[in-house]
Amino acid sequence: MPDLYPLIRPLLRALPAETAHRLTLTGLSSGLGGLVAGAGEPDPPSLHQILWGREFPNPVGVAAGFDKDAQAPDALLRLGCGFAETGTVTPRPQPGNPKPRIFRLYEDVAVINRMGFNSAGLEPTLARLRARRRVGIVGVNLGKNRDSTDAAADYLDGVRRVGRLADYFVINVSSPNTPGLRDLQRSEILDDLLRQLVAARDEAAPGTPLLVKIAPDLTEAERTDIAALAGPSGIDGIVIANTTVARPPGLQSPHAGEQGGLSGKPLFAPSTALVADIYLLTGGKIPLIGVGGVASAADAYAKIRAGASLLQLYTALVFEGPALIGRIKRGLAEFLRRDGFGNIAEAVGADHVLASPARHQSSSPT
Ligand SMILES: Cc1cc2nc3c(=O)[nH]c(=O)nc-3n(C[C@H](O)[C@H](O)[C@H](O)COP(=O)(O)O)c2cc1C
C-alpha cells in the first residue's frame, strides 16, 4: 500500500489544527487506518520485548493527548503501534482552554499547545475501555480537574475507577497548561502522592504498572530528587517527557511566542538528554518511555540507546502522517541488525556503561 498521507496533508493543513485532529481521530476510529502504508505488516521479531510481564510487539506508541477520551486505542494498535495510551483524562468533564489552543510551527517542525486538559471525564473512557476486546496494550494517562483543590484525590479517583481496565497507568504531573500541576513534581509532594497511588493501585489493580510522566524543564536538583524517589516510591516506570515551556533560540515560526507547551523537533535534544540523565541516575533499573521530537528511526534509536525501553510520538505524526510508524519500526530493526543487537532490549541504554547491568527487561524467548 503506498503512503496516501501526502494526498490528504494539504486538506488537513488548510484546517484549524484542532479540526484536523478531530477529523484524523474520526477517520481512524471508522477504520481508515487500515489504508495506511505499513499498517498490518508483521513486526520484526527483534522489536519484541517483555516489560512488566507484558508483551510489546514493538516499542513504538502514540503519546498521550492524541486520543484523550479513548475513542481510538484499537485503531492506533491496528496502525502498527506496539501499545497505545489514552488520556489525559480528568475525573469530571471539563472544556479546557479557549480556542485556538493548538498551533503548528511549520518552520520549526513543532507544535505549541495549551489545551488545558479538555476531557470528557472518566465515564466515557471507562465505558469505551469496558466495551473493547482486550487485545494489545492500552495505558491510561490520568490528570486532575483544573478546579479541583485536592490533586491527590483526583489521581486516586482515576486509579480506583479505571482499575483493571488499564494495562498501565501514567500519572501526569507535567502538563504546563494546568496551573500548579507541575509543582506536584517537587519531591516532598511527589513522594507522598506516588506512595498513595501505588497503594491504591495495589488494591484496585494489583500488578498494573504505574508510571509518572515528567517535564523536560526540571532543574538538575529536581531530576536527582525524582530519580532518588523512583525506586522507594514503588512506581514502575517514568515517561520522559511532556512538552516544554522553554523557547529554544532560533525558532522561526510566527507562532513561536504563543503560550503553552512546545513539542516536536526542538524538544528532541533536551528530552533525550533527560532520558539519559534519568537512566544513569536510576542505574537503568526502572523502564523509561522516551517521548519528545521522535520523527525518524534514527531519533527512535537514539532514545533507546539513551535508555528508553519504549517510545512515543505525537508531533511528527502531524507533519509526516501515520506511515511514519512503519518506517520507524523497519528502520529500528535495521539499526539493531547493523549494530549486532539480536533484540531491542539489548540496545536499551547502550550509550552508557553502568556499574551493574540493568535487569528490568527481558527479550522475546523466541
Ligand atoms: C496537542 C497536544 C496535546 C497533548 N496532550 C497531552 C495530554 O493530554 N497528556 C500528556 O501527558 N501529554 C500531552 N501532550 C504531550 C505529548 O504526549 C508528548 O509528551 C509531547 O508532545 C512530546 O512528544 P512529541 O514531540 O512527539 O510531540 C500533548 C501534546 C500535544 C502536541
Side-chain angles (χ1 to χ4, degrees), residues 63-66 68 85 87-89 102 111-113 115 117 141 170 172 174-175 213 241-243 261-265 267 291-294 312-316:
F66 190 89
K68 286 181 185 269
E85 187 170 315
T88 296
V89 58
I102 309 181
V111 161
I112 291 176
N113 92 83
M115 301 296 279
F117 287 171
N141 179 307
V170 176
N172 180 6
S174 48
S175 282
K213 184 165 178 178
N242 219 310
T243 56
L262 175 74
S263 56
K265 194 172 183 175
L267 183 56
V291 202
V294 174
Q312 291 174 320
L313 57 156
Y314 187 154
T315 301

PDB file of all heavy atoms in Angstrom, residues 63-66 68 85 87-89 102 111-113 115 117 141 170 172 174-175 213 241-243 261-265 267 291-294 312-316, ligand 1:
ATOM      1  N   ALA A  63       1.742   9.135  21.683  1.00  0.00           N
ATOM      2  CA  ALA A  63       1.811   9.768  23.010  1.00  0.00           C
ATOM      3  C   ALA A  63       0.442  10.239  23.493  1.00  0.00           C
ATOM      4  O   ALA A  63      -0.499  10.416  22.707  1.00  0.00           O
ATOM      5  CB  ALA A  63       2.782  10.944  22.952  1.00  0.00           C
ATOM      6  N   ALA A  64       0.353  10.478  24.782  1.00  0.00           N
ATOM      7  CA  ALA A  64      -0.879  10.979  25.390  1.00  0.00           C
ATOM      8  C   ALA A  64      -1.275  12.308  24.769  1.00  0.00           C
ATOM      9  O   ALA A  64      -0.435  13.094  24.335  1.00  0.00           O
ATOM     10  CB  ALA A  64      -0.681  11.155  26.886  1.00  0.00           C
ATOM     11  N   GLY A  65      -2.581  12.549  24.739  1.00  0.00           N
ATOM     12  CA  GLY A  65      -3.094  13.789  24.183  1.00  0.00           C
ATOM     13  C   GLY A  65      -3.641  13.598  22.784  1.00  0.00           C
ATOM     14  O   GLY A  65      -4.474  14.364  22.321  1.00  0.00           O
ATOM     15  N   PHE A  66      -3.201  12.523  22.121  1.00  0.00           N
ATOM     16  CA  PHE A  66      -3.681  12.250  20.766  1.00  0.00           C
ATOM     17  C   PHE A  66      -5.112  11.700  20.838  1.00  0.00           C
ATOM     18  O   PHE A  66      -5.970  12.064  20.042  1.00  0.00           O
ATOM     19  CB  PHE A  66      -2.749  11.242  20.077  1.00  0.00           C
ATOM     20  CG  PHE A  66      -3.011  11.079  18.609  1.00  0.00           C
ATOM     21  CD1 PHE A  66      -2.367  11.897  17.698  1.00  0.00           C
ATOM     22  CD2 PHE A  66      -3.893  10.121  18.141  1.00  0.00           C
ATOM     23  CE1 PHE A  66      -2.612  11.765  16.340  1.00  0.00           C
ATOM     24  CE2 PHE A  66      -4.145   9.978  16.791  1.00  0.00           C
ATOM     25  CZ  PHE A  66      -3.495  10.798  15.877  1.00  0.00           C
ATOM     26  N   LYS A  68      -7.488  11.557  23.730  1.00  0.00           N
ATOM     27  CA  LYS A  68      -7.722  11.898  25.136  1.00  0.00           C
ATOM     28  C   LYS A  68      -8.858  11.106  25.756  1.00  0.00           C
ATOM     29  O   LYS A  68      -8.859  10.836  26.950  1.00  0.00           O
ATOM     30  CB  LYS A  68      -8.018  13.393  25.265  1.00  0.00           C
ATOM     31  CG  LYS A  68      -6.776  14.274  25.094  1.00  0.00           C
ATOM     32  CD  LYS A  68      -7.127  15.732  25.247  1.00  0.00           C
ATOM     33  CE  LYS A  68      -5.948  16.642  24.967  1.00  0.00           C
ATOM     34  NZ  LYS A  68      -5.171  16.957  26.156  1.00  0.00           N
ATOM     35  N   GLU A  85      -1.793   4.817  24.307  1.00  0.00           N
ATOM     36  CA  GLU A  85      -2.055   5.487  25.589  1.00  0.00           C
ATOM     37  C   GLU A  85      -3.199   6.460  25.411  1.00  0.00           C
ATOM     38  O   GLU A  85      -3.146   7.331  24.541  1.00  0.00           O
ATOM     39  CB  GLU A  85      -0.788   6.209  26.060  1.00  0.00           C
ATOM     40  CG  GLU A  85      -0.911   6.802  27.465  1.00  0.00           C
ATOM     41  CD  GLU A  85       0.451   7.282  27.978  1.00  0.00           C
ATOM     42  OE1 GLU A  85       1.458   6.548  27.825  1.00  0.00           O
ATOM     43  OE2 GLU A  85       0.516   8.405  28.508  1.00  0.00           O
ATOM     44  N   GLY A  87      -5.932   9.401  27.094  1.00  0.00           N
ATOM     45  CA  GLY A  87      -5.843  10.476  28.078  1.00  0.00           C
ATOM     46  C   GLY A  87      -4.954  11.599  27.556  1.00  0.00           C
ATOM     47  O   GLY A  87      -4.528  11.540  26.400  1.00  0.00           O
ATOM     48  N   THR A  88      -4.721  12.590  28.347  1.00  0.00           N
ATOM     49  CA  THR A  88      -5.022  12.683  29.770  1.00  0.00           C
ATOM     50  C   THR A  88      -6.532  12.826  29.982  1.00  0.00           C
ATOM     51  O   THR A  88      -7.171  13.680  29.350  1.00  0.00           O
ATOM     52  CB  THR A  88      -4.299  13.884  30.391  1.00  0.00           C
ATOM     53  OG1 THR A  88      -2.898  13.677  30.298  1.00  0.00           O
ATOM     54  CG2 THR A  88      -4.680  14.115  31.839  1.00  0.00           C
ATOM     55  N   VAL A  89      -7.047  12.003  30.897  1.00  0.00           N
ATOM     56  CA  VAL A  89      -8.451  12.080  31.254  1.00  0.00           C
ATOM     57  C   VAL A  89      -8.550  12.614  32.679  1.00  0.00           C
ATOM     58  O   VAL A  89      -7.743  12.256  33.536  1.00  0.00           O
ATOM     59  CB  VAL A  89      -9.122  10.694  31.073  1.00  0.00           C
ATOM     60  CG1 VAL A  89      -8.447   9.609  31.909  1.00  0.00           C
ATOM     61  CG2 VAL A  89     -10.610  10.744  31.410  1.00  0.00           C
ATOM     62  N   ILE A 102      -4.099  25.070  19.757  1.00  0.00           N
ATOM     63  CA  ILE A 102      -3.003  24.284  19.154  1.00  0.00           C
ATOM     64  C   ILE A 102      -2.457  25.093  17.977  1.00  0.00           C
ATOM     65  O   ILE A 102      -3.241  25.580  17.152  1.00  0.00           O
ATOM     66  CB  ILE A 102      -3.462  22.927  18.577  1.00  0.00           C
ATOM     67  CG1 ILE A 102      -4.283  22.130  19.585  1.00  0.00           C
ATOM     68  CG2 ILE A 102      -2.261  22.099  18.131  1.00  0.00           C
ATOM     69  CD1 ILE A 102      -4.729  20.759  19.032  1.00  0.00           C
ATOM     70  N   VAL A 111       5.027  21.991  17.460  1.00  0.00           N
ATOM     71  CA  VAL A 111       3.666  22.395  17.802  1.00  0.00           C
ATOM     72  C   VAL A 111       3.723  23.080  19.165  1.00  0.00           C
ATOM     73  O   VAL A 111       4.543  22.722  20.013  1.00  0.00           O
ATOM     74  CB  VAL A 111       2.731  21.145  17.858  1.00  0.00           C
ATOM     75  CG1 VAL A 111       1.449  21.418  18.630  1.00  0.00           C
ATOM     76  CG2 VAL A 111       2.373  20.667  16.445  1.00  0.00           C
ATOM     77  N   ILE A 112       2.890  24.099  19.352  1.00  0.00           N
ATOM     78  CA  ILE A 112       2.660  24.620  20.706  1.00  0.00           C
ATOM     79  C   ILE A 112       1.195  24.347  21.027  1.00  0.00           C
ATOM     80  O   ILE A 112       0.320  24.635  20.212  1.00  0.00           O
ATOM     81  CB  ILE A 112       2.956  26.131  20.812  1.00  0.00           C
ATOM     82  CG1 ILE A 112       4.472  26.363  20.671  1.00  0.00           C
ATOM     83  CG2 ILE A 112       2.452  26.703  22.145  1.00  0.00           C
ATOM     84  CD1 ILE A 112       4.877  27.832  20.658  1.00  0.00           C
ATOM     85  N   ASN A 113       0.947  23.742  22.195  1.00  0.00           N
ATOM     86  CA  ASN A 113      -0.448  23.550  22.594  1.00  0.00           C
ATOM     87  C   ASN A 113      -0.663  24.063  24.007  1.00  0.00           C
ATOM     88  O   ASN A 113       0.217  24.013  24.851  1.00  0.00           O
ATOM     89  CB  ASN A 113      -0.865  22.082  22.449  1.00  0.00           C
ATOM     90  CG  ASN A 113      -0.670  21.288  23.729  1.00  0.00           C
ATOM     91  OD1 ASN A 113      -1.527  21.311  24.620  1.00  0.00           O
ATOM     92  ND2 ASN A 113       0.462  20.595  23.826  1.00  0.00           N
ATOM     93  N   MET A 115      -3.901  23.152  25.466  1.00  0.00           N
ATOM     94  CA  MET A 115      -5.239  22.553  25.528  1.00  0.00           C
ATOM     95  C   MET A 115      -5.847  22.707  26.923  1.00  0.00           C
ATOM     96  O   MET A 115      -7.034  22.994  27.053  1.00  0.00           O
ATOM     97  CB  MET A 115      -5.175  21.062  25.178  1.00  0.00           C
ATOM     98  CG  MET A 115      -4.612  20.749  23.790  1.00  0.00           C
ATOM     99  SD  MET A 115      -5.630  21.400  22.482  1.00  0.00           S
ATOM    100  CE  MET A 115      -6.912  20.153  22.394  1.00  0.00           C
ATOM    101  N   PHE A 117      -6.084  20.252  29.367  1.00  0.00           N
ATOM    102  CA  PHE A 117      -6.842  19.046  29.762  1.00  0.00           C
ATOM    103  C   PHE A 117      -8.323  19.158  29.385  1.00  0.00           C
ATOM    104  O   PHE A 117      -9.204  18.996  30.226  1.00  0.00           O
ATOM    105  CB  PHE A 117      -6.740  18.775  31.271  1.00  0.00           C
ATOM    106  CG  PHE A 117      -5.418  18.247  31.743  1.00  0.00           C
ATOM    107  CD1 PHE A 117      -5.149  18.143  33.109  1.00  0.00           C
ATOM    108  CD2 PHE A 117      -4.448  17.823  30.854  1.00  0.00           C
ATOM    109  CE1 PHE A 117      -3.940  17.654  33.571  1.00  0.00           C
ATOM    110  CE2 PHE A 117      -3.227  17.330  31.305  1.00  0.00           C
ATOM    111  CZ  PHE A 117      -2.979  17.249  32.662  1.00  0.00           C
ATOM    112  N   ASN A 141      -3.678   7.566  30.841  1.00  0.00           N
ATOM    113  CA  ASN A 141      -2.945   8.697  31.395  1.00  0.00           C
ATOM    114  C   ASN A 141      -3.938   9.549  32.191  1.00  0.00           C
ATOM    115  O   ASN A 141      -4.955   9.994  31.667  1.00  0.00           O
ATOM    116  CB  ASN A 141      -2.320   9.475  30.224  1.00  0.00           C
ATOM    117  CG  ASN A 141      -1.551  10.694  30.648  1.00  0.00           C
ATOM    118  OD1 ASN A 141      -2.057  11.553  31.360  1.00  0.00           O
ATOM    119  ND2 ASN A 141      -0.318  10.798  30.172  1.00  0.00           N
ATOM    120  N   VAL A 170      -0.467   6.141  33.712  1.00  0.00           N
ATOM    121  CA  VAL A 170       0.525   7.222  33.748  1.00  0.00           C
ATOM    122  C   VAL A 170      -0.056   8.357  34.589  1.00  0.00           C
ATOM    123  O   VAL A 170      -1.179   8.809  34.345  1.00  0.00           O
ATOM    124  CB  VAL A 170       0.867   7.755  32.340  1.00  0.00           C
ATOM    125  CG1 VAL A 170       1.833   8.937  32.440  1.00  0.00           C
ATOM    126  CG2 VAL A 170       1.468   6.656  31.484  1.00  0.00           C
ATOM    127  N   ASN A 172       0.087  12.009  35.221  1.00  0.00           N
ATOM    128  CA  ASN A 172       0.597  13.177  34.507  1.00  0.00           C
ATOM    129  C   ASN A 172       0.694  14.367  35.461  1.00  0.00           C
ATOM    130  O   ASN A 172      -0.317  14.983  35.781  1.00  0.00           O
ATOM    131  CB  ASN A 172      -0.322  13.490  33.322  1.00  0.00           C
ATOM    132  CG  ASN A 172       0.148  14.701  32.537  1.00  0.00           C
ATOM    133  OD1 ASN A 172       1.218  15.247  32.807  1.00  0.00           O
ATOM    134  ND2 ASN A 172      -0.645  15.124  31.573  1.00  0.00           N
ATOM    135  N   SER A 174       2.938  16.825  34.707  1.00  0.00           N
ATOM    136  CA  SER A 174       3.904  17.634  33.968  1.00  0.00           C
ATOM    137  C   SER A 174       3.326  18.478  32.844  1.00  0.00           C
ATOM    138  O   SER A 174       4.092  19.144  32.139  1.00  0.00           O
ATOM    139  CB  SER A 174       4.985  16.707  33.399  1.00  0.00           C
ATOM    140  OG  SER A 174       4.405  15.590  32.769  1.00  0.00           O
ATOM    141  N   SER A 175       2.005  18.488  32.646  1.00  0.00           N
ATOM    142  CA  SER A 175       1.466  19.362  31.603  1.00  0.00           C
ATOM    143  C   SER A 175       1.613  20.810  32.050  1.00  0.00           C
ATOM    144  O   SER A 175       1.312  21.137  33.194  1.00  0.00           O
ATOM    145  CB  SER A 175      -0.015  19.047  31.351  1.00  0.00           C
ATOM    146  OG  SER A 175      -0.123  17.899  30.582  1.00  0.00           O
ATOM    147  N   LYS A 213       4.749  10.759  34.535  1.00  0.00           N
ATOM    148  CA  LYS A 213       5.257  11.498  33.366  1.00  0.00           C
ATOM    149  C   LYS A 213       5.814  12.838  33.821  1.00  0.00           C
ATOM    150  O   LYS A 213       5.130  13.604  34.498  1.00  0.00           O
ATOM    151  CB  LYS A 213       4.136  11.715  32.338  1.00  0.00           C
ATOM    152  CG  LYS A 213       4.618  12.394  31.048  1.00  0.00           C
ATOM    153  CD  LYS A 213       3.594  12.256  29.950  1.00  0.00           C
ATOM    154  CE  LYS A 213       4.027  12.951  28.675  1.00  0.00           C
ATOM    155  NZ  LYS A 213       3.054  12.781  27.582  1.00  0.00           N
ATOM    156  N   ALA A 241       9.408  12.868  27.869  1.00  0.00           N
ATOM    157  CA  ALA A 241       8.968  13.952  28.702  1.00  0.00           C
ATOM    158  C   ALA A 241       7.690  14.557  28.099  1.00  0.00           C
ATOM    159  O   ALA A 241       7.326  14.297  26.948  1.00  0.00           O
ATOM    160  CB  ALA A 241      10.043  15.030  28.739  1.00  0.00           C
ATOM    161  N   ASN A 242       7.093  15.426  28.876  1.00  0.00           N
ATOM    162  CA  ASN A 242       5.974  16.221  28.395  1.00  0.00           C
ATOM    163  C   ASN A 242       6.512  17.383  27.538  1.00  0.00           C
ATOM    164  O   ASN A 242       7.712  17.450  27.248  1.00  0.00           O
ATOM    165  CB  ASN A 242       5.167  16.732  29.598  1.00  0.00           C
ATOM    166  CG  ASN A 242       3.680  16.706  29.319  1.00  0.00           C
ATOM    167  OD1 ASN A 242       3.251  17.218  28.265  1.00  0.00           O
ATOM    168  ND2 ASN A 242       2.899  16.121  30.198  1.00  0.00           N
ATOM    169  N   THR A 243       5.626  18.284  27.159  1.00  0.00           N
ATOM    170  CA  THR A 243       6.041  19.444  26.358  1.00  0.00           C
ATOM    171  C   THR A 243       6.843  20.422  27.222  1.00  0.00           C
ATOM    172  O   THR A 243       6.768  20.375  28.449  1.00  0.00           O
ATOM    173  CB  THR A 243       4.807  20.169  25.790  1.00  0.00           C
ATOM    174  OG1 THR A 243       3.956  20.511  26.893  1.00  0.00           O
ATOM    175  CG2 THR A 243       4.045  19.299  24.816  1.00  0.00           C
ATOM    176  N   GLY A 261       2.837  24.554  25.725  1.00  0.00           N
ATOM    177  CA  GLY A 261       3.940  23.598  25.730  1.00  0.00           C
ATOM    178  C   GLY A 261       4.397  23.335  24.306  1.00  0.00           C
ATOM    179  O   GLY A 261       3.594  23.074  23.409  1.00  0.00           O
ATOM    180  N   LEU A 262       5.708  23.392  24.123  1.00  0.00           N
ATOM    181  CA  LEU A 262       6.312  23.179  22.800  1.00  0.00           C
ATOM    182  C   LEU A 262       6.692  21.699  22.659  1.00  0.00           C
ATOM    183  O   LEU A 262       7.272  21.110  23.579  1.00  0.00           O
ATOM    184  CB  LEU A 262       7.548  24.063  22.690  1.00  0.00           C
ATOM    185  CG  LEU A 262       8.423  23.931  21.441  1.00  0.00           C
ATOM    186  CD1 LEU A 262       7.742  24.570  20.224  1.00  0.00           C
ATOM    187  CD2 LEU A 262       9.789  24.594  21.672  1.00  0.00           C
ATOM    188  N   SER A 263       6.378  21.124  21.498  1.00  0.00           N
ATOM    189  CA  SER A 263       6.724  19.723  21.219  1.00  0.00           C
ATOM    190  C   SER A 263       7.331  19.652  19.828  1.00  0.00           C
ATOM    191  O   SER A 263       7.348  20.632  19.099  1.00  0.00           O
ATOM    192  CB  SER A 263       5.468  18.852  21.301  1.00  0.00           C
ATOM    193  OG  SER A 263       4.478  19.340  20.411  1.00  0.00           O
ATOM    194  N   GLY A 264       7.824  18.454  19.487  1.00  0.00           N
ATOM    195  CA  GLY A 264       8.379  18.270  18.149  1.00  0.00           C
ATOM    196  C   GLY A 264       9.885  18.431  18.140  1.00  0.00           C
ATOM    197  O   GLY A 264      10.565  18.288  19.162  1.00  0.00           O
ATOM    198  N   LYS A 265      10.409  18.770  16.965  1.00  0.00           N
ATOM    199  CA  LYS A 265      11.857  18.744  16.738  1.00  0.00           C
ATOM    200  C   LYS A 265      12.689  19.478  17.810  1.00  0.00           C
ATOM    201  O   LYS A 265      13.691  18.937  18.287  1.00  0.00           O
ATOM    202  CB  LYS A 265      12.149  19.309  15.346  1.00  0.00           C
ATOM    203  CG  LYS A 265      13.542  19.038  14.878  1.00  0.00           C
ATOM    204  CD  LYS A 265      13.713  19.437  13.433  1.00  0.00           C
ATOM    205  CE  LYS A 265      15.125  19.059  13.051  1.00  0.00           C
ATOM    206  NZ  LYS A 265      15.435  19.269  11.681  1.00  0.00           N
ATOM    207  N   LEU A 267      12.256  19.757  20.795  1.00  0.00           N
ATOM    208  CA  LEU A 267      12.209  19.043  22.076  1.00  0.00           C
ATOM    209  C   LEU A 267      13.067  17.781  22.051  1.00  0.00           C
ATOM    210  O   LEU A 267      13.340  17.191  23.101  1.00  0.00           O
ATOM    211  CB  LEU A 267      10.731  18.679  22.383  1.00  0.00           C
ATOM    212  CG  LEU A 267      10.391  17.992  23.704  1.00  0.00           C
ATOM    213  CD1 LEU A 267      10.877  18.810  24.903  1.00  0.00           C
ATOM    214  CD2 LEU A 267       8.881  17.760  23.813  1.00  0.00           C
ATOM    215  N   VAL A 291       9.847  10.131  25.026  1.00  0.00           N
ATOM    216  CA  VAL A 291       8.910  10.910  24.193  1.00  0.00           C
ATOM    217  C   VAL A 291       9.494  12.296  23.978  1.00  0.00           C
ATOM    218  O   VAL A 291       9.969  12.911  24.934  1.00  0.00           O
ATOM    219  CB  VAL A 291       7.553  11.167  24.900  1.00  0.00           C
ATOM    220  CG1 VAL A 291       6.469  11.456  23.877  1.00  0.00           C
ATOM    221  CG2 VAL A 291       7.168  10.082  25.853  1.00  0.00           C
ATOM    222  N   GLY A 292       9.376  12.800  22.764  1.00  0.00           N
ATOM    223  CA  GLY A 292       9.812  14.166  22.507  1.00  0.00           C
ATOM    224  C   GLY A 292      10.599  14.237  21.215  1.00  0.00           C
ATOM    225  O   GLY A 292      11.758  13.824  21.163  1.00  0.00           O
ATOM    226  N   GLY A 293       9.947  14.715  20.163  1.00  0.00           N
ATOM    227  CA  GLY A 293      10.638  15.011  18.925  1.00  0.00           C
ATOM    228  C   GLY A 293      11.046  13.812  18.093  1.00  0.00           C
ATOM    229  O   GLY A 293      11.839  13.958  17.161  1.00  0.00           O
ATOM    230  N   VAL A 294      10.512  12.630  18.375  1.00  0.00           N
ATOM    231  CA  VAL A 294      10.877  11.471  17.550  1.00  0.00           C
ATOM    232  C   VAL A 294      10.205  11.622  16.185  1.00  0.00           C
ATOM    233  O   VAL A 294       8.982  11.711  16.093  1.00  0.00           O
ATOM    234  CB  VAL A 294      10.443  10.136  18.201  1.00  0.00           C
ATOM    235  CG1 VAL A 294      10.701   8.968  17.253  1.00  0.00           C
ATOM    236  CG2 VAL A 294      11.169   9.923  19.520  1.00  0.00           C
ATOM    237  N   GLN A 312       7.335   7.029  22.365  1.00  0.00           N
ATOM    238  CA  GLN A 312       6.047   7.540  21.892  1.00  0.00           C
ATOM    239  C   GLN A 312       6.293   8.757  21.010  1.00  0.00           C
ATOM    240  O   GLN A 312       7.326   9.424  21.139  1.00  0.00           O
ATOM    241  CB  GLN A 312       5.161   7.965  23.077  1.00  0.00           C
ATOM    242  CG  GLN A 312       4.691   6.788  23.914  1.00  0.00           C
ATOM    243  CD  GLN A 312       3.933   7.240  25.152  1.00  0.00           C
ATOM    244  OE1 GLN A 312       4.302   8.217  25.792  1.00  0.00           O
ATOM    245  NE2 GLN A 312       2.879   6.525  25.492  1.00  0.00           N
ATOM    246  N   LEU A 313       5.322   9.032  20.140  1.00  0.00           N
ATOM    247  CA  LEU A 313       5.425  10.232  19.314  1.00  0.00           C
ATOM    248  C   LEU A 313       4.050  10.831  19.081  1.00  0.00           C
ATOM    249  O   LEU A 313       3.039  10.130  19.172  1.00  0.00           O
ATOM    250  CB  LEU A 313       6.115   9.941  17.982  1.00  0.00           C
ATOM    251  CG  LEU A 313       5.570   8.893  17.044  1.00  0.00           C
ATOM    252  CD1 LEU A 313       6.031   9.196  15.638  1.00  0.00           C
ATOM    253  CD2 LEU A 313       6.060   7.524  17.440  1.00  0.00           C
ATOM    254  N   TYR A 314       4.057  12.122  18.829  1.00  0.00           N
ATOM    255  CA  TYR A 314       2.811  12.820  18.544  1.00  0.00           C
ATOM    256  C   TYR A 314       3.067  13.829  17.420  1.00  0.00           C
ATOM    257  O   TYR A 314       2.543  13.690  16.305  1.00  0.00           O
ATOM    258  CB  TYR A 314       2.297  13.515  19.821  1.00  0.00           C
ATOM    259  CG  TYR A 314       0.916  14.145  19.706  1.00  0.00           C
ATOM    260  CD1 TYR A 314       0.124  14.322  20.827  1.00  0.00           C
ATOM    261  CD2 TYR A 314       0.405  14.563  18.493  1.00  0.00           C
ATOM    262  CE1 TYR A 314      -1.143  14.903  20.747  1.00  0.00           C
ATOM    263  CE2 TYR A 314      -0.856  15.140  18.398  1.00  0.00           C
ATOM    264  CZ  TYR A 314      -1.611  15.304  19.534  1.00  0.00           C
ATOM    265  OH  TYR A 314      -2.863  15.882  19.449  1.00  0.00           O
ATOM    266  N   THR A 315       3.903  14.827  17.686  1.00  0.00           N
ATOM    267  CA  THR A 315       4.027  15.943  16.749  1.00  0.00           C
ATOM    268  C   THR A 315       4.481  15.497  15.357  1.00  0.00           C
ATOM    269  O   THR A 315       3.962  15.986  14.347  1.00  0.00           O
ATOM    270  CB  THR A 315       4.997  16.998  17.326  1.00  0.00           C
ATOM    271  OG1 THR A 315       4.466  17.421  18.582  1.00  0.00           O
ATOM    272  CG2 THR A 315       5.146  18.188  16.410  1.00  0.00           C
ATOM    273  N   ALA A 316       5.403  14.558  15.291  1.00  0.00           N
ATOM    274  CA  ALA A 316       5.882  14.120  13.972  1.00  0.00           C
ATOM    275  C   ALA A 316       4.758  13.483  13.165  1.00  0.00           C
ATOM    276  O   ALA A 316       4.774  13.538  11.929  1.00  0.00           O
ATOM    277  CB  ALA A 316       7.045  13.153  14.127  1.00  0.00           C
TER     278      ALA A 316
HETATM  279  C1  LIG B   1      -1.861  18.825  21.050  1.00  0.00           C
HETATM  280  C2  LIG B   1      -1.143  18.098  22.145  1.00  0.00           C
HETATM  281  C3  LIG B   1      -1.853  17.650  23.255  1.00  0.00           C
HETATM  282  C4  LIG B   1      -1.190  16.957  24.270  1.00  0.00           C
HETATM  283  N1  LIG B   1      -1.911  16.494  25.343  1.00  0.00           N
HETATM  284  C5  LIG B   1      -1.290  15.768  26.300  1.00  0.00           C
HETATM  285  C6  LIG B   1      -2.027  15.192  27.371  1.00  0.00           C
HETATM  286  O1  LIG B   1      -3.248  15.313  27.452  1.00  0.00           O
HETATM  287  N2  LIG B   1      -1.343  14.500  28.304  1.00  0.00           N
HETATM  288  C7  LIG B   1       0.017  14.304  28.256  1.00  0.00           C
HETATM  289  O2  LIG B   1       0.583  13.631  29.126  1.00  0.00           O
HETATM  290  N3  LIG B   1       0.749  14.809  27.220  1.00  0.00           N
HETATM  291  C8  LIG B   1       0.122  15.519  26.260  1.00  0.00           C
HETATM  292  N4  LIG B   1       0.851  16.023  25.211  1.00  0.00           N
HETATM  293  C9  LIG B   1       2.315  15.813  25.195  1.00  0.00           C
HETATM  294  C10 LIG B   1       2.697  14.583  24.382  1.00  0.00           C
HETATM  295  O3  LIG B   1       2.178  13.417  24.957  1.00  0.00           O
HETATM  296  C11 LIG B   1       4.244  14.453  24.310  1.00  0.00           C
HETATM  297  O4  LIG B   1       4.737  14.260  25.611  1.00  0.00           O
HETATM  298  C12 LIG B   1       4.898  15.692  23.701  1.00  0.00           C
HETATM  299  O5  LIG B   1       4.115  16.241  22.669  1.00  0.00           O
HETATM  300  C13 LIG B   1       6.304  15.385  23.151  1.00  0.00           C
HETATM  301  O6  LIG B   1       6.245  14.448  22.112  1.00  0.00           O
HETATM  302  P1  LIG B   1       6.305  14.887  20.536  1.00  0.00           P
HETATM  303  O7  LIG B   1       7.455  15.835  20.401  1.00  0.00           O
HETATM  304  O8  LIG B   1       6.489  13.607  19.790  1.00  0.00           O
HETATM  305  O9  LIG B   1       5.006  15.545  20.256  1.00  0.00           O
HETATM  306  C14 LIG B   1       0.207  16.724  24.187  1.00  0.00           C
HETATM  307  C15 LIG B   1       0.903  17.162  23.055  1.00  0.00           C
HETATM  308  C16 LIG B   1       0.266  17.832  22.036  1.00  0.00           C
HETATM  309  C17 LIG B   1       1.042  18.297  20.838  1.00  0.00           C
END
